[in-house]
Amino acid sequence: EKLSVKDKKIGTLLGSKQGVWIEISQLEEELLAKIPELELTITAGKSGRWSATFSDLAKLHDRSPVLQRYKVDSGNVTVWSPNGEKPFSFSSVIPYVYPVLIKDGKKVDRLLISGTITDHGFEGMVNESLQLNYTDTLAITSKDIQYNIPAIKNLLKDQPVLREEDDTGNPGLKLSFRAENSSLVFTDKIQALADEIHLDHAGGKTVGHLHHGPGSIELSYTDGQFSLEGHDLNDEFMGGLLRGGGCINGRMSLAAQGTPYMATALFKVDDTVLMDFKPLNNILAFINTVPALITFSPQEYSTKGLPVSSAVTGLVFDGTVATIESFSLKSPVITMNAVSYTHLTLPTT
């Protein structure tokens, strides 16, 4: 007999226009149905209990716009109900090409997801560390998880451009993100430390807040343009952001504006002692050697560090290239002012 599928979404998955082979059998008190073409197994038993397992999502990839959009082409997922009623439970194991999460210093390339589906939305847990909850807003919360910025950028870059409203005029996705004891990781050696991160997106506008120690960074993004301001960021934060820059005490402020592809930025550091900032180290060592040779005095910079009253750097970001356009340094030992066009290639993976 012919199998009629009325739900358009399920019909798309089954490929009903061409038809699929379904094997149906009885297993004790359960009905067992298999669709080999999709690696799908469905069981149904007493009291309305049922389960559906896709053993290999690669078989489903070409039929699922969601899997195609997020580049999920392997893994498995099981959905079940003990009585045929919601909430439905689900679990999934997905190897993922975008390792956006970092846990215990290791990139997470295998997502373990479990949760429930209700009439109003869903909730789930990812690798026992990141919680998802969706009703009218997608709420994401985490603790002790770091976020891989190059992977996130690659994921967003590979997404299609979506409108904020659908064809019915309904507003687009609203997002709420909260992270505790986290950091934004740019490379293996560069990260922005965070006690807390808050991010909210709705109506085409995104606002964010990063808090670390006494300092904070505020972000605003709308219509493709962003602005960012940071104040009172301490030496621990600077050490993470400046490749372990070896700053003792002091505070940093910053400002940036532009688009994700072209932006200008200004960094200022006040009242610190610079111990081992490698891009500056060789220049300062040479400059400090000259008076030492003349006066026969010891070189104190290499042992005690360079006291810095103020240091300001101006940069321009264009795609994956950062250009240092200006630099000034004021110290009881030396004053420097420089204008240059030093190009730095930024990491993309």
Side-chain angles (χ1 to χ4, degrees):
E1 296 183 1
K2 294 182 179 179
L3 175 65
S4 176
V5 179
K6 295 182 179 181
D7 189 291
K8 292 182 178 180
K9 294 182 180 179
I10 296 177
T12 300
L13 295 181
L14 296 179
S16 57
K17 290 183 179 180
Q18 299 177 349
V20 293
W21 183 261
I22 301 178
E23 301 173 357
I24 300 177
S25 60
Q26 186 79 22
L27 182 64
E28 295 181 352
E29 296 183 351
E30 290 189 336
L31 182 68
L32 177 65
K34 293 184 177 181
I35 304 178
E37 185 176 333
L38 299 179
E39 292 285 346
L40 171 61
T41 301
I42 302 172
T43 62
K46 290 183 176 181
S47 303
R49 71 175 182 272
W50 62 268
S51 70
T53 298
F54 288 95
S55 300
D56 185 0
L57 292 179
K59 302 290 186 178
L60 194 62
H61 178 268
D62 292 341
R63 307 170 192 255
S64 171
V66 173
L67 296 185
Q68 293 172 28
R69 177 181 173 187
Y70 293 104
K71 304 297 189 295
V72 176
D73 56 6
S74 62
N76 62 76
V77 61
T78 297
V79 184
W80 71 92
S81 171
N83 54 17
E85 302 291 334
K86 290 184 179 179
F88 301 152
S89 299
F90 69 89
S91 65
S92 182
V93 178
I94 300 177
Y96 203 38
V97 296
Y98 302 99
V100 299
L101 306 179
I102 299 175
K103 185 176 181 180
D104 299 328
K106 297 181 180 179
K107 296 178 181 178
V108 178
D109 56 9
R110 184 179 175 87
L111 302 180
L112 309 177
I113 308 171
S114 61
T116 57
I117 303 170
T118 70
D119 287 326
H120 305 290
F122 69 87
E123 62 180 31
M125 185 70 72
V126 181
N127 291 66
E128 300 182 345
S129 300
L130 183 144
Q131 187 169 355
L132 306 172
N133 191 300
Y134 177 74
T135 50
D136 61 336
T137 299
L138 176 60
I140 304 172
T141 58
S142 72
K143 186 175 182 179
D144 302 326
I145 286 287
Q146 300 170 294
Y147 292 89
N148 184 355
I149 297 302
I152 293 174
K153 289 179 63 177
N154 289 336
L155 172 61
L156 296 177
K157 181 183 67 175
D158 292 343
Q159 299 305 300
V161 178
L162 299 178
R163 294 173 296 177
E164 282 298 319
E165 295 186 355
D166 60 23
D167 295 334
T168 64
N170 294 325
L173 176 69
K174 292 191 293 184
L175 173 69
S176 172
F177 173 80
R178 302 288 184 268
E180 295 183 18
N181 191 29
S182 182
S183 69
L184 307 177
V185 179
F186 298 92
T187 72
D188 292 339
K189 296 182 179 179
I190 302 176
Q191 61 180 322
L193 303 175
D195 298 330
E196 292 181 338
I197 302 174
H198 295 176
L199 190 72
D200 294 285
H201 173 83
K205 184 176 181 179
T206 302
V207 293
H209 172 85
L210 182 151
H211 170 75
H212 177 76
S216 64
I217 298 176
E218 305 291 336
L219 167 71
S220 177
Y221 180 84
T222 184
D223 296 330
Q225 299 283 330
F226 80 90
S227 63
L228 183 149
E229 292 186 8
H231 303 280
D232 296 321
L233 300 163
N234 61 16
D235 52 353
E236 183 182 19
F237 184 90
M238 287 188 280
L241 195 61
L242 303 176
R243 292 181 179 268
C247 295
I248 298 178
N249 299 322
R251 63 188 185 277
M252 182 175 74
S253 58
L254 58 91
Q257 63 179 7
T259 73
Y261 312 101
M262 182 74 178
T264 58
L266 188 69
F267 294 83
K268 183 180 180 182
V269 179
D270 293 305
D271 302 324
T272 189
V273 176
L274 193 60
M275 297 300 295
D276 184 25
F277 195 11
K278 293 183 179 178
L280 202 58
N281 186 60
N282 292 337
I283 298 174
L284 294 175
F286 169 75
I287 294 173
N288 196 43
T289 298
V290 176
L293 292 174
I294 296 175
T295 62
F296 302 102
S297 61
Q299 300 179 24
E300 295 184 349
Y301 162 68
S302 60
T303 56
K304 296 183 179 180
L306 177 70
V308 175
S309 303
S310 175
V312 180
T313 302
L315 301 97
V316 172
F317 298 91
D318 187 357
T320 59
V321 176
T323 301
I324 301 176
E325 290 197 332
S326 63
F327 175 79
S328 67
L329 184 146
K330 293 182 180 180
S331 164
V333 177
I334 188 173
T335 297
M336 296 176 61
N337 289 285
V339 177
S340 67
Y341 293 92
T342 302
H343 299 288
L344 306 173
T345 301
L346 302 178
T348 57
T349 58

